[in-house]
PDB file of all heavy atoms in Angstrom:
ATOM      1  N   LEU M   1      -4.772   7.101  11.843  1.00 95.00           N
ATOM      2  CA  LEU M   1      -6.089   7.604  12.230  1.00 95.00           C
ATOM      3  C   LEU M   1      -6.840   6.571  13.073  1.00 95.00           C
ATOM      4  O   LEU M   1      -7.429   6.910  14.108  1.00 95.00           O
ATOM      5  CB  LEU M   1      -6.899   7.956  10.978  1.00 95.00           C
ATOM      6  CG  LEU M   1      -8.286   8.527  11.200  1.00 95.00           C
ATOM      7  CD1 LEU M   1      -8.191   9.910  11.836  1.00 95.00           C
ATOM      8  CD2 LEU M   1      -9.034   8.615   9.880  1.00 95.00           C
ATOM      9  N   ILE M   2      -6.790   5.325  12.665  1.00 93.00           N
ATOM     10  CA  ILE M   2      -7.471   4.263  13.401  1.00 93.00           C
ATOM     11  C   ILE M   2      -6.823   4.066  14.774  1.00 93.00           C
ATOM     12  O   ILE M   2      -7.504   3.989  15.797  1.00 93.00           O
ATOM     13  CB  ILE M   2      -7.469   2.952  12.592  1.00 93.00           C
ATOM     14  CG1 ILE M   2      -8.375   3.116  11.363  1.00 93.00           C
ATOM     15  CG2 ILE M   2      -7.910   1.770  13.455  1.00 93.00           C
ATOM     16  CD1 ILE M   2      -8.249   2.002  10.350  1.00 93.00           C
ATOM     17  N   ALA M   3      -5.494   3.978  14.795  1.00 94.00           N
ATOM     18  CA  ALA M   3      -4.787   3.709  16.056  1.00 94.00           C
ATOM     19  C   ALA M   3      -4.901   4.864  17.040  1.00 94.00           C
ATOM     20  O   ALA M   3      -5.013   4.642  18.254  1.00 94.00           O
ATOM     21  CB  ALA M   3      -3.319   3.406  15.778  1.00 94.00           C
ATOM     22  N   GLU M   4      -4.898   6.084  16.552  1.00 91.00           N
ATOM     23  CA  GLU M   4      -4.888   7.236  17.439  1.00 91.00           C
ATOM     24  C   GLU M   4      -6.250   7.586  18.017  1.00 91.00           C
ATOM     25  O   GLU M   4      -6.359   8.541  18.781  1.00 91.00           O
ATOM     26  CB  GLU M   4      -4.295   8.445  16.706  1.00 91.00           C
ATOM     27  CG  GLU M   4      -2.813   8.269  16.412  1.00 91.00           C
ATOM     28  CD  GLU M   4      -2.242   9.343  15.510  1.00 91.00           C
ATOM     29  OE1 GLU M   4      -3.003  10.238  15.063  1.00 91.00           O
ATOM     30  OE2 GLU M   4      -1.034   9.281  15.237  1.00 91.00           O
ATOM     31  N   ARG M   5      -7.256   6.814  17.717  1.00 90.00           N
ATOM     32  CA  ARG M   5      -8.579   7.062  18.309  1.00 90.00           C
ATOM     33  C   ARG M   5      -8.558   6.800  19.805  1.00 90.00           C
ATOM     34  O   ARG M   5      -9.421   7.239  20.527  1.00 90.00           O
ATOM     35  CB  ARG M   5      -9.633   6.196  17.627  1.00 90.00           C
ATOM     36  CG  ARG M   5      -9.835   6.606  16.169  1.00 90.00           C
ATOM     37  CD  ARG M   5     -11.018   5.951  15.579  1.00 90.00           C
ATOM     38  NE  ARG M   5     -12.208   6.471  16.243  1.00 90.00           N
ATOM     39  CZ  ARG M   5     -13.409   5.982  16.072  1.00 90.00           C
ATOM     40  NH1 ARG M   5     -13.598   4.968  15.281  1.00 90.00           N
ATOM     41  NH2 ARG M   5     -14.436   6.505  16.703  1.00 90.00           N
ATOM     42  N   ASP M   6      -7.573   6.041  20.251  1.00 86.00           N
ATOM     43  CA  ASP M   6      -7.420   5.717  21.668  1.00 86.00           C
ATOM     44  C   ASP M   6      -5.961   5.981  22.039  1.00 86.00           C
ATOM     45  O   ASP M   6      -5.046   5.481  21.389  1.00 86.00           O
ATOM     46  CB  ASP M   6      -7.768   4.242  21.887  1.00 86.00           C
ATOM     47  CG  ASP M   6      -7.763   3.851  23.354  1.00 86.00           C
ATOM     48  OD1 ASP M   6      -7.048   4.497  24.152  1.00 86.00           O
ATOM     49  OD2 ASP M   6      -8.461   2.893  23.707  1.00 86.00           O
ATOM     50  N   ALA M   7      -5.738   6.763  23.088  1.00 87.00           N
ATOM     51  CA  ALA M   7      -4.380   7.141  23.489  1.00 87.00           C
ATOM     52  C   ALA M   7      -3.538   5.940  23.907  1.00 87.00           C
ATOM     53  O   ALA M   7      -2.313   6.004  23.896  1.00 87.00           O
ATOM     54  CB  ALA M   7      -4.436   8.155  24.628  1.00 87.00           C
ATOM     55  N   ASP M   8      -4.181   4.843  24.240  1.00 92.00           N
ATOM     56  CA  ASP M   8      -3.450   3.661  24.685  1.00 92.00           C
ATOM     57  C   ASP M   8      -3.161   2.686  23.546  1.00 92.00           C
ATOM     58  O   ASP M   8      -3.018   1.486  23.772  1.00 92.00           O
ATOM     59  CB  ASP M   8      -4.239   2.937  25.783  1.00 92.00           C
ATOM     60  CG  ASP M   8      -4.305   3.759  27.055  1.00 92.00           C
ATOM     61  OD1 ASP M   8      -3.399   4.577  27.280  1.00 92.00           O
ATOM     62  OD2 ASP M   8      -5.287   3.594  27.805  1.00 92.00           O
ATOM     63  N   ARG M   9      -3.068   3.185  22.321  1.00 93.00           N
ATOM     64  CA  ARG M   9      -2.770   2.334  21.166  1.00 93.00           C
ATOM     65  C   ARG M   9      -1.517   2.827  20.472  1.00 93.00           C
ATOM     66  O   ARG M   9      -1.253   4.015  20.386  1.00 93.00           O
ATOM     67  CB  ARG M   9      -3.917   2.363  20.156  1.00 93.00           C
ATOM     68  CG  ARG M   9      -5.185   1.731  20.624  1.00 93.00           C
ATOM     69  CD  ARG M   9      -6.187   1.777  19.508  1.00 93.00           C
ATOM     70  NE  ARG M   9      -7.482   1.300  19.940  1.00 93.00           N
ATOM     71  CZ  ARG M   9      -8.582   1.446  19.227  1.00 93.00           C
ATOM     72  NH1 ARG M   9      -8.544   2.046  18.061  1.00 93.00           N
ATOM     73  NH2 ARG M   9      -9.722   0.983  19.671  1.00 93.00           N
ATOM     74  N   GLU M  10      -0.790   1.871  19.911  1.00 94.00           N
ATOM     75  CA  GLU M  10       0.415   2.182  19.138  1.00 94.00           C
ATOM     76  C   GLU M  10       0.330   1.434  17.808  1.00 94.00           C
ATOM     77  O   GLU M  10       0.188   0.208  17.789  1.00 94.00           O
ATOM     78  CB  GLU M  10       1.664   1.738  19.893  1.00 94.00           C
ATOM     79  CG  GLU M  10       2.934   1.878  19.096  1.00 94.00           C
ATOM     80  CD  GLU M  10       4.117   1.205  19.758  1.00 94.00           C
ATOM     81  OE1 GLU M  10       3.947   0.487  20.775  1.00 94.00           O
ATOM     82  OE2 GLU M  10       5.228   1.384  19.230  1.00 94.00           O
ATOM     83  N   LEU M  11       0.418   2.150  16.699  1.00 96.00           N
ATOM     84  CA  LEU M  11       0.406   1.525  15.380  1.00 96.00           C
ATOM     85  C   LEU M  11       1.767   0.872  15.138  1.00 96.00           C
ATOM     86  O   LEU M  11       2.792   1.541  15.150  1.00 96.00           O
ATOM     87  CB  LEU M  11       0.126   2.562  14.289  1.00 96.00           C
ATOM     88  CG  LEU M  11       0.063   2.008  12.865  1.00 96.00           C
ATOM     89  CD1 LEU M  11      -1.146   1.092  12.697  1.00 96.00           C
ATOM     90  CD2 LEU M  11       0.008   3.156  11.860  1.00 96.00           C
ATOM     91  N   VAL M  12       1.759  -0.437  14.937  1.00 97.00           N
ATOM     92  CA  VAL M  12       3.015  -1.148  14.692  1.00 97.00           C
ATOM     93  C   VAL M  12       3.094  -1.720  13.279  1.00 97.00           C
ATOM     94  O   VAL M  12       4.156  -2.174  12.860  1.00 97.00           O
ATOM     95  CB  VAL M  12       3.250  -2.272  15.726  1.00 97.00           C
ATOM     96  CG1 VAL M  12       3.415  -1.682  17.119  1.00 97.00           C
ATOM     97  CG2 VAL M  12       2.145  -3.308  15.686  1.00 97.00           C
ATOM     98  N   GLY M  13       1.986  -1.692  12.549  1.00 97.00           N
ATOM     99  CA  GLY M  13       2.023  -2.215  11.191  1.00 97.00           C
ATOM    100  C   GLY M  13       0.786  -1.903  10.396  1.00 97.00           C
ATOM    101  O   GLY M  13      -0.301  -1.766  10.947  1.00 97.00           O
ATOM    102  N   VAL M  14       0.981  -1.767   9.095  1.00 98.00           N
ATOM    103  CA  VAL M  14      -0.120  -1.630   8.150  1.00 98.00           C
ATOM    104  C   VAL M  14       0.152  -2.630   7.038  1.00 98.00           C
ATOM    105  O   VAL M  14       1.244  -2.636   6.455  1.00 98.00           O
ATOM    106  CB  VAL M  14      -0.222  -0.208   7.557  1.00 98.00           C
ATOM    107  CG1 VAL M  14      -1.335  -0.129   6.522  1.00 98.00           C
ATOM    108  CG2 VAL M  14      -0.436   0.823   8.657  1.00 98.00           C
ATOM    109  N   ARG M  15      -0.808  -3.504   6.769  1.00 98.00           N
ATOM    110  CA  ARG M  15      -0.681  -4.487   5.699  1.00 98.00           C
ATOM    111  C   ARG M  15      -1.725  -4.161   4.645  1.00 98.00           C
ATOM    112  O   ARG M  15      -2.914  -4.069   4.948  1.00 98.00           O
ATOM    113  CB  ARG M  15      -0.915  -5.908   6.212  1.00 98.00           C
ATOM    114  CG  ARG M  15      -0.001  -6.326   7.342  1.00 98.00           C
ATOM    115  CD  ARG M  15       1.445  -6.463   6.863  1.00 98.00           C
ATOM    116  NE  ARG M  15       2.306  -6.888   7.941  1.00 98.00           N
ATOM    117  CZ  ARG M  15       3.010  -6.055   8.718  1.00 98.00           C
ATOM    118  NH1 ARG M  15       2.919  -4.751   8.545  1.00 98.00           N
ATOM    119  NH2 ARG M  15       3.787  -6.518   9.665  1.00 98.00           N
ATOM    120  N   VAL M  16      -1.265  -3.965   3.431  1.00 97.00           N
ATOM    121  CA  VAL M  16      -2.155  -3.638   2.323  1.00 97.00           C
ATOM    122  C   VAL M  16      -2.134  -4.810   1.346  1.00 97.00           C
ATOM    123  O   VAL M  16      -1.064  -5.259   0.926  1.00 97.00           O
ATOM    124  CB  VAL M  16      -1.705  -2.347   1.596  1.00 97.00           C
ATOM    125  CG1 VAL M  16      -2.653  -2.023   0.455  1.00 97.00           C
ATOM    126  CG2 VAL M  16      -1.594  -1.196   2.565  1.00 97.00           C
ATOM    127  N   TYR M  17      -3.296  -5.285   0.981  1.00 96.00           N
ATOM    128  CA  TYR M  17      -3.442  -6.378   0.020  1.00 96.00           C
ATOM    129  C   TYR M  17      -4.097  -5.805  -1.219  1.00 96.00           C
ATOM    130  O   TYR M  17      -5.163  -5.187  -1.138  1.00 96.00           O
ATOM    131  CB  TYR M  17      -4.279  -7.506   0.631  1.00 96.00           C
ATOM    132  CG  TYR M  17      -3.596  -8.080   1.844  1.00 96.00           C
ATOM    133  CD1 TYR M  17      -3.748  -7.493   3.095  1.00 96.00           C
ATOM    134  CD2 TYR M  17      -2.741  -9.166   1.722  1.00 96.00           C
ATOM    135  CE1 TYR M  17      -3.077  -7.988   4.202  1.00 96.00           C
ATOM    136  CE2 TYR M  17      -2.074  -9.672   2.827  1.00 96.00           C
ATOM    137  CZ  TYR M  17      -2.245  -9.077   4.058  1.00 96.00           C
ATOM    138  OH  TYR M  17      -1.581  -9.553   5.146  1.00 96.00           O
ATOM    139  N   ARG M  18      -3.433  -5.994  -2.373  1.00 94.00           N
ATOM    140  CA  ARG M  18      -3.980  -5.410  -3.599  1.00 94.00           C
ATOM    141  C   ARG M  18      -3.606  -6.230  -4.813  1.00 94.00           C
ATOM    142  O   ARG M  18      -2.616  -6.950  -4.818  1.00 94.00           O
ATOM    143  CB  ARG M  18      -3.507  -3.968  -3.771  1.00 94.00           C
ATOM    144  CG  ARG M  18      -2.033  -3.808  -4.010  1.00 94.00           C
ATOM    145  CD  ARG M  18      -1.683  -2.495  -4.679  1.00 94.00           C
ATOM    146  NE  ARG M  18      -2.329  -2.438  -5.959  1.00 94.00           N
ATOM    147  CZ  ARG M  18      -2.675  -1.316  -6.575  1.00 94.00           C
ATOM    148  NH1 ARG M  18      -2.420  -0.164  -6.046  1.00 94.00           N
ATOM    149  NH2 ARG M  18      -3.260  -1.334  -7.748  1.00 94.00           N
ATOM    150  N   GLY M  19      -4.420  -6.091  -5.849  1.00 92.00           N
ATOM    151  CA  GLY M  19      -4.137  -6.742  -7.115  1.00 92.00           C
ATOM    152  C   GLY M  19      -3.041  -5.995  -7.858  1.00 92.00           C
ATOM    153  O   GLY M  19      -2.890  -4.782  -7.712  1.00 92.00           O
ATOM    154  N   LEU M  20      -2.278  -6.734  -8.653  1.00 92.00           N
ATOM    155  CA  LEU M  20      -1.187  -6.154  -9.434  1.00 92.00           C
ATOM    156  C   LEU M  20      -1.458  -6.426 -10.905  1.00 92.00           C
ATOM    157  O   LEU M  20      -1.538  -7.592 -11.316  1.00 92.00           O
ATOM    158  CB  LEU M  20       0.145  -6.780  -9.020  1.00 92.00           C
ATOM    159  CG  LEU M  20       1.382  -6.295  -9.748  1.00 92.00           C
ATOM    160  CD1 LEU M  20       1.646  -4.815  -9.443  1.00 92.00           C
ATOM    161  CD2 LEU M  20       2.585  -7.138  -9.354  1.00 92.00           C
ATOM    162  N   PRO M  21      -1.613  -5.373 -11.719  1.00 90.00           N
ATOM    163  CA  PRO M  21      -1.818  -5.596 -13.149  1.00 90.00           C
ATOM    164  C   PRO M  21      -0.660  -6.381 -13.765  1.00 90.00           C
ATOM    165  O   PRO M  21       0.480  -6.284 -13.317  1.00 90.00           O
ATOM    166  CB  PRO M  21      -1.878  -4.177 -13.728  1.00 90.00           C
ATOM    167  CG  PRO M  21      -2.313  -3.327 -12.578  1.00 90.00           C
ATOM    168  CD  PRO M  21      -1.663  -3.959 -11.364  1.00 90.00           C
ATOM    169  N   ASP M  22      -0.965  -7.157 -14.790  1.00 88.00           N
ATOM    170  CA  ASP M  22       0.048  -7.921 -15.505  1.00 88.00           C
ATOM    171  C   ASP M  22       0.904  -6.961 -16.332  1.00 88.00           C
ATOM    172  O   ASP M  22       0.372  -6.097 -17.029  1.00 88.00           O
ATOM    173  CB  ASP M  22      -0.647  -8.941 -16.411  1.00 88.00           C
ATOM    174  CG  ASP M  22       0.326  -9.829 -17.131  1.00 88.00           C
ATOM    175  OD1 ASP M  22       0.916  -9.375 -18.135  1.00 88.00           O
ATOM    176  OD2 ASP M  22       0.497 -10.985 -16.696  1.00 88.00           O
ATOM    177  N   SER M  23       2.211  -7.123 -16.262  1.00 90.00           N
ATOM    178  CA  SER M  23       3.127  -6.193 -16.943  1.00 90.00           C
ATOM    179  C   SER M  23       3.001  -6.243 -18.464  1.00 90.00           C
ATOM    180  O   SER M  23       3.261  -5.244 -19.133  1.00 90.00           O
ATOM    181  CB  SER M  23       4.570  -6.468 -16.536  1.00 90.00           C
ATOM    182  OG  SER M  23       4.956  -7.770 -16.927  1.00 90.00           O
ATOM    183  N   THR M  24       2.585  -7.384 -19.036  1.00 86.00           N
ATOM    184  CA  THR M  24       2.456  -7.474 -20.492  1.00 86.00           C
ATOM    185  C   THR M  24       1.089  -7.028 -20.982  1.00 86.00           C
ATOM    186  O   THR M  24       0.966  -6.510 -22.081  1.00 86.00           O
ATOM    187  CB  THR M  24       2.718  -8.918 -20.973  1.00 86.00           C
ATOM    188  OG1 THR M  24       1.786  -9.801 -20.354  1.00 86.00           O
ATOM    189  CG2 THR M  24       4.144  -9.341 -20.645  1.00 86.00           C
ATOM    190  N   ARG M  25       0.064  -7.206 -20.185  1.00 83.00           N
ATOM    191  CA  ARG M  25      -1.290  -6.828 -20.608  1.00 83.00           C
ATOM    192  C   ARG M  25      -1.650  -5.393 -20.252  1.00 83.00           C
ATOM    193  O   ARG M  25      -2.487  -4.784 -20.900  1.00 83.00           O
ATOM    194  CB  ARG M  25      -2.313  -7.778 -19.998  1.00 83.00           C
ATOM    195  CG  ARG M  25      -2.225  -9.155 -20.597  1.00 83.00           C
ATOM    196  CD  ARG M  25      -3.243 -10.065 -19.971  1.00 83.00           C
ATOM    197  NE  ARG M  25      -3.482 -11.163 -20.869  1.00 83.00           N
ATOM    198  CZ  ARG M  25      -4.685 -11.598 -21.209  1.00 83.00           C
ATOM    199  NH1 ARG M  25      -5.745 -11.044 -20.704  1.00 83.00           N
ATOM    200  NH2 ARG M  25      -4.807 -12.601 -22.028  1.00 83.00           N
ATOM    201  N   ASP M  26      -1.071  -4.879 -19.185  1.00 85.00           N
ATOM    202  CA  ASP M  26      -1.379  -3.517 -18.734  1.00 85.00           C
ATOM    203  C   ASP M  26      -0.101  -2.872 -18.192  1.00 85.00           C
ATOM    204  O   ASP M  26       0.034  -2.662 -16.988  1.00 85.00           O
ATOM    205  CB  ASP M  26      -2.469  -3.559 -17.670  1.00 85.00           C
ATOM    206  CG  ASP M  26      -2.925  -2.181 -17.215  1.00 85.00           C
ATOM    207  OD1 ASP M  26      -2.446  -1.163 -17.764  1.00 85.00           O
ATOM    208  OD2 ASP M  26      -3.754  -2.132 -16.285  1.00 85.00           O
ATOM    209  N   PRO M  27       0.859  -2.554 -19.087  1.00 91.00           N
ATOM    210  CA  PRO M  27       2.128  -2.000 -18.604  1.00 91.00           C
ATOM    211  C   PRO M  27       1.982  -0.678 -17.864  1.00 91.00           C
ATOM    212  O   PRO M  27       2.696  -0.416 -16.894  1.00 91.00           O
ATOM    213  CB  PRO M  27       2.976  -1.846 -19.868  1.00 91.00           C
ATOM    214  CG  PRO M  27       2.098  -2.133 -21.020  1.00 91.00           C
ATOM    215  CD  PRO M  27       0.840  -2.755 -20.519  1.00 91.00           C
ATOM    216  N   LYS M  28       1.044   0.150 -18.278  1.00 92.00           N
ATOM    217  CA  LYS M  28       0.833   1.437 -17.607  1.00 92.00           C
ATOM    218  C   LYS M  28       0.311   1.226 -16.187  1.00 92.00           C
ATOM    219  O   LYS M  28       0.798   1.833 -15.225  1.00 92.00           O
ATOM    220  CB  LYS M  28      -0.144   2.287 -18.425  1.00 92.00           C
ATOM    221  CG  LYS M  28      -0.341   3.673 -17.912  1.00 92.00           C
ATOM    222  CD  LYS M  28      -1.259   4.458 -18.848  1.00 92.00           C
ATOM    223  CE  LYS M  28      -1.551   5.826 -18.302  1.00 92.00           C
ATOM    224  NZ  LYS M  28      -2.449   6.593 -19.178  1.00 92.00           N
ATOM    225  N   GLY M  29      -0.687   0.348 -16.029  1.00 89.00           N
ATOM    226  CA  GLY M  29      -1.229   0.040 -14.707  1.00 89.00           C
ATOM    227  C   GLY M  29      -0.202  -0.646 -13.818  1.00 89.00           C
ATOM    228  O   GLY M  29      -0.123  -0.382 -12.615  1.00 89.00           O
ATOM    229  N   TYR M  30       0.607  -1.526 -14.430  1.00 93.00           N
ATOM    230  CA  TYR M  30       1.661  -2.221 -13.692  1.00 93.00           C
ATOM    231  C   TYR M  30       2.667  -1.223 -13.140  1.00 93.00           C
ATOM    232  O   TYR M  30       3.024  -1.269 -11.959  1.00 93.00           O
ATOM    233  CB  TYR M  30       2.335  -3.223 -14.629  1.00 93.00           C
ATOM    234  CG  TYR M  30       3.494  -3.971 -14.015  1.00 93.00           C
ATOM    235  CD1 TYR M  30       3.267  -5.092 -13.230  1.00 93.00           C
ATOM    236  CD2 TYR M  30       4.799  -3.571 -14.236  1.00 93.00           C
ATOM    237  CE1 TYR M  30       4.325  -5.802 -12.675  1.00 93.00           C
ATOM    238  CE2 TYR M  30       5.866  -4.262 -13.687  1.00 93.00           C
ATOM    239  CZ  TYR M  30       5.621  -5.378 -12.908  1.00 93.00           C
ATOM    240  OH  TYR M  30       6.666  -6.064 -12.357  1.00 93.00           O
ATOM    241  N   ALA M  31       3.114  -0.298 -13.976  1.00 96.00           N
ATOM    242  CA  ALA M  31       4.097   0.711 -13.546  1.00 96.00           C
ATOM    243  C   ALA M  31       3.514   1.605 -12.454  1.00 96.00           C
ATOM    244  O   ALA M  31       4.187   1.906 -11.464  1.00 96.00           O
ATOM    245  CB  ALA M  31       4.553   1.544 -14.740  1.00 96.00           C
ATOM    246  N   ALA M  32       2.257   2.022 -12.623  1.00 93.00           N
ATOM    247  CA  ALA M  32       1.616   2.885 -11.626  1.00 93.00           C
ATOM    248  C   ALA M  32       1.489   2.155 -10.291  1.00 93.00           C
ATOM    249  O   ALA M  32       1.747   2.738  -9.224  1.00 93.00           O
ATOM    250  CB  ALA M  32       0.247   3.338 -12.126  1.00 93.00           C
ATOM    251  N   SER M  33       1.130   0.882 -10.331  1.00 94.00           N
ATOM    252  CA  SER M  33       0.995   0.098  -9.097  1.00 94.00           C
ATOM    253  C   SER M  33       2.331  -0.042  -8.381  1.00 94.00           C
ATOM    254  O   SER M  33       2.398   0.035  -7.155  1.00 94.00           O
ATOM    255  CB  SER M  33       0.433  -1.293  -9.406  1.00 94.00           C
ATOM    256  OG  SER M  33      -0.883  -1.197  -9.872  1.00 94.00           O
ATOM    257  N   HIS M  34       3.395  -0.238  -9.151  1.00 94.00           N
ATOM    258  CA  HIS M  34       4.719  -0.355  -8.530  1.00 94.00           C
ATOM    259  C   HIS M  34       5.182   0.966  -7.922  1.00 94.00           C
ATOM    260  O   HIS M  34       5.805   0.975  -6.852  1.00 94.00           O
ATOM    261  CB  HIS M  34       5.741  -0.889  -9.531  1.00 94.00           C
ATOM    262  CG  HIS M  34       5.820  -2.379  -9.506  1.00 94.00           C
ATOM    263  ND1 HIS M  34       6.526  -3.069  -8.552  1.00 94.00           N
ATOM    264  CD2 HIS M  34       5.235  -3.320 -10.284  1.00 94.00           C
ATOM    265  CE1 HIS M  34       6.389  -4.361  -8.752  1.00 94.00           C
ATOM    266  NE2 HIS M  34       5.602  -4.540  -9.798  1.00 94.00           N
ATOM    267  N   ARG M  35       4.870   2.081  -8.575  1.00 96.00           N
ATOM    268  CA  ARG M  35       5.218   3.388  -7.989  1.00 96.00           C
ATOM    269  C   ARG M  35       4.452   3.604  -6.693  1.00 96.00           C
ATOM    270  O   ARG M  35       5.016   4.072  -5.689  1.00 96.00           O
ATOM    271  CB  ARG M  35       4.909   4.520  -8.970  1.00 96.00           C
ATOM    272  CG  ARG M  35       5.876   4.637 -10.123  1.00 96.00           C
ATOM    273  CD  ARG M  35       5.682   5.918 -10.917  1.00 96.00           C
ATOM    274  NE  ARG M  35       4.320   6.123 -11.381  1.00 96.00           N
ATOM    275  CZ  ARG M  35       3.842   5.663 -12.542  1.00 96.00           C
ATOM    276  NH1 ARG M  35       4.620   4.967 -13.356  1.00 96.00           N
ATOM    277  NH2 ARG M  35       2.602   5.908 -12.892  1.00 96.00           N
ATOM    278  N   GLN M  36       3.175   3.253  -6.698  1.00 95.00           N
ATOM    279  CA  GLN M  36       2.342   3.405  -5.508  1.00 95.00           C
ATOM    280  C   GLN M  36       2.865   2.522  -4.374  1.00 95.00           C
ATOM    281  O   GLN M  36       3.018   2.966  -3.233  1.00 95.00           O
ATOM    282  CB  GLN M  36       0.903   3.032  -5.856  1.00 95.00           C
ATOM    283  CG  GLN M  36      -0.099   3.298  -4.779  1.00 95.00           C
ATOM    284  CD  GLN M  36      -1.499   2.938  -5.225  1.00 95.00           C
ATOM    285  OE1 GLN M  36      -1.736   1.824  -5.696  1.00 95.00           O
ATOM    286  NE2 GLN M  36      -2.418   3.874  -5.087  1.00 95.00           N
ATOM    287  N   LYS M  37       3.188   1.281  -4.668  1.00 96.00           N
ATOM    288  CA  LYS M  37       3.720   0.351  -3.668  1.00 96.00           C
ATOM    289  C   LYS M  37       5.037   0.869  -3.096  1.00 96.00           C
ATOM    290  O   LYS M  37       5.239   0.858  -1.873  1.00 96.00           O
ATOM    291  CB  LYS M  37       3.920  -1.028  -4.304  1.00 96.00           C
ATOM    292  CG  LYS M  37       4.477  -2.092  -3.377  1.00 96.00           C
ATOM    293  CD  LYS M  37       4.644  -3.417  -4.146  1.00 96.00           C
ATOM    294  CE  LYS M  37       5.072  -4.567  -3.287  1.00 96.00           C
ATOM    295  NZ  LYS M  37       6.422  -4.483  -2.783  1.00 96.00           N
ATOM    296  N   ALA M  38       5.919   1.346  -3.959  1.00 96.00           N
ATOM    297  CA  ALA M  38       7.217   1.874  -3.498  1.00 96.00           C
ATOM    298  C   ALA M  38       7.017   3.079  -2.585  1.00 96.00           C
ATOM    299  O   ALA M  38       7.707   3.219  -1.564  1.00 96.00           O
ATOM    300  CB  ALA M  38       8.088   2.242  -4.693  1.00 96.00           C
ATOM    301  N   ARG M  39       6.074   3.935  -2.931  1.00 96.00           N
ATOM    302  CA  ARG M  39       5.809   5.109  -2.089  1.00 96.00           C
ATOM    303  C   ARG M  39       5.282   4.689  -0.727  1.00 96.00           C
ATOM    304  O   ARG M  39       5.727   5.177   0.299  1.00 96.00           O
ATOM    305  CB  ARG M  39       4.827   6.045  -2.773  1.00 96.00           C
ATOM    306  CG  ARG M  39       4.550   7.291  -1.951  1.00 96.00           C
ATOM    307  CD  ARG M  39       3.640   8.266  -2.690  1.00 96.00           C
ATOM    308  NE  ARG M  39       3.301   9.378  -1.845  1.00 96.00           N
ATOM    309  CZ  ARG M  39       2.342   9.354  -0.911  1.00 96.00           C
ATOM    310  NH1 ARG M  39       1.642   8.271  -0.711  1.00 96.00           N
ATOM    311  NH2 ARG M  39       2.090  10.421  -0.185  1.00 96.00           N
ATOM    312  N   TRP M  40       4.318   3.775  -0.711  1.00 96.00           N
ATOM    313  CA  TRP M  40       3.747   3.321   0.551  1.00 96.00           C
ATOM    314  C   TRP M  40       4.806   2.666   1.431  1.00 96.00           C
ATOM    315  O   TRP M  40       4.826   2.862   2.639  1.00 96.00           O
ATOM    316  CB  TRP M  40       2.623   2.328   0.315  1.00 96.00           C
ATOM    317  CG  TRP M  40       1.380   2.891  -0.284  1.00 96.00           C
ATOM    318  CD1 TRP M  40       0.996   4.208  -0.367  1.00 96.00           C
ATOM    319  CD2 TRP M  40       0.329   2.148  -0.895  1.00 96.00           C
ATOM    320  NE1 TRP M  40      -0.213   4.317  -0.985  1.00 96.00           N
ATOM    321  CE2 TRP M  40      -0.646   3.065  -1.327  1.00 96.00           C
ATOM    322  CE3 TRP M  40       0.128   0.803  -1.139  1.00 96.00           C
ATOM    323  CZ2 TRP M  40      -1.814   2.675  -1.961  1.00 96.00           C
ATOM    324  CZ3 TRP M  40      -1.038   0.401  -1.776  1.00 96.00           C
ATOM    325  CH2 TRP M  40      -1.994   1.337  -2.177  1.00 96.00           C
ATOM    326  N   GLU M  41       5.686   1.875   0.823  1.00 97.00           N
ATOM    327  CA  GLU M  41       6.672   1.122   1.595  1.00 97.00           C
ATOM    328  C   GLU M  41       7.903   1.945   1.968  1.00 97.00           C
ATOM    329  O   GLU M  41       8.848   1.396   2.529  1.00 97.00           O
ATOM    330  CB  GLU M  41       7.057  -0.150   0.850  1.00 97.00           C
ATOM    331  CG  GLU M  41       5.929  -1.180   0.870  1.00 97.00           C
ATOM    332  CD  GLU M  41       6.288  -2.503   0.255  1.00 97.00           C
ATOM    333  OE1 GLU M  41       7.149  -2.544  -0.648  1.00 97.00           O
ATOM    334  OE2 GLU M  41       5.696  -3.518   0.682  1.00 97.00           O
ATOM    335  N   GLN M  42       7.872   3.252   1.710  1.00 97.00           N
ATOM    336  CA  GLN M  42       8.941   4.113   2.232  1.00 97.00           C
ATOM    337  C   GLN M  42       8.908   4.099   3.755  1.00 97.00           C
ATOM    338  O   GLN M  42       9.920   4.332   4.399  1.00 97.00           O
ATOM    339  CB  GLN M  42       8.802   5.539   1.707  1.00 97.00           C
ATOM    340  CG  GLN M  42       9.198   5.677   0.263  1.00 97.00           C
ATOM    341  CD  GLN M  42       9.006   7.088  -0.262  1.00 97.00           C
ATOM    342  OE1 GLN M  42       8.329   7.919   0.353  1.00 97.00           O
ATOM    343  NE2 GLN M  42       9.582   7.367  -1.408  1.00 97.00           N
ATOM    344  N   SER M  43       7.751   3.828   4.311  1.00 96.00           N
ATOM    345  CA  SER M  43       7.626   3.685   5.765  1.00 96.00           C
ATOM    346  C   SER M  43       7.838   2.218   6.116  1.00 96.00           C
ATOM    347  O   SER M  43       7.191   1.343   5.525  1.00 96.00           O
ATOM    348  CB  SER M  43       6.235   4.115   6.235  1.00 96.00           C
ATOM    349  OG  SER M  43       6.035   3.687   7.567  1.00 96.00           O
TER     350      SER M  43
END
């Protein structure tokens, strides 16, 4: 969406920075974050 605002742009990368729950303190949040990361990185 950001790149296509101008026809003379090409999206070459998206970098996402995010916190990762601790696997021992928040196993549910940790698992959900890993599923989300895996889905995003399919591209």
